[in-house]
Amino acid sequence: QVQLVESGGGLVQPGGSLRLSCAASGNIFSINAMGWYRQAPGKQRELVATISGGSTNYADSVKGRFTISRDNAKNTVSLQMNSLKPEDTAVYSCNADVVLKNWGRPRSTYWGQGTQVTVSS
């Protein structure tokens, strides 16, 4: 019913920058929170950043380096990543808390397929 498609991953050197984008489409009435999560090999998925209304939340490890933003009209969320470190290497996935157009306006959470970010020299 709802699809999230990420783009913008890739290989970057330490200290470099990347911008991830995620577009939501489908049976969407509105979207509450959107966010980015990541999972490194052998580790659990962890929250990177979320945005809801005008509020943002970041993992301590990315504060001051990453910026999350959102375009409500286009149902997109972006993550600007600066000063990247090797430990930022992971699969990054976007997430959206969606209110569907169905009768009763049910809510459901959706995930994108993930995009690989590799920070290496």
Side-chain angles (χ1 to χ4, degrees):
Q1 289 182 318
V2 174
Q3 299 79 40
L4 300 182
V5 178
E6 300 109 336
S7 60
L11 173 65
V12 64
Q13 292 186 341
S17 298
L18 279 176
R19 184 176 180 86
L20 305 182
S21 295
C22 173
S25 63
N27 188 33
I28 299 170
F29 176 76
S30 64
I31 301 178
N32 297 322
M34 300 187 80
W36 288 94
Y37 292 73
R38 67 186 181 186
Q39 186 167 20
K43 294 186 177 181
Q44 290 188 333
R45 183 166 59 192
E46 63 175 356
L47 179 147
V48 176
T50 61
I51 184 167
S52 178
S55 297
T56 58
N57 179 51
Y58 295 92
D60 288 341
S61 60
V62 307
K63 283 181 180 177
R65 300 188 298 122
F66 291 10
T67 302
I68 189 170
S69 60
R70 180 172 169 180
D71 185 330
N72 292 326
K74 297 181 178 179
N75 289 331
T76 60
V77 62
S78 297
L79 185 69
Q80 178 65 41
M81 304 185 294
N82 299 328
S83 302
L84 282 160
K85 304 175 181 180
E87 52 263 43
D88 294 318
T89 296
V91 175
Y92 286 69
S93 300
C94 69
N95 162 284
D97 178 15
V98 178
V99 178
L100 302 173
K101 292 180 180 177
N102 302 43
W103 183 85
R105 300 287 188 256
R107 288 173 61 180
S108 190
T109 299
Y110 294 89
W111 291 87
Q113 81 285 356
T115 185
Q116 178 69 46
V117 171
T118 302
V119 185
S120 175
S121 56

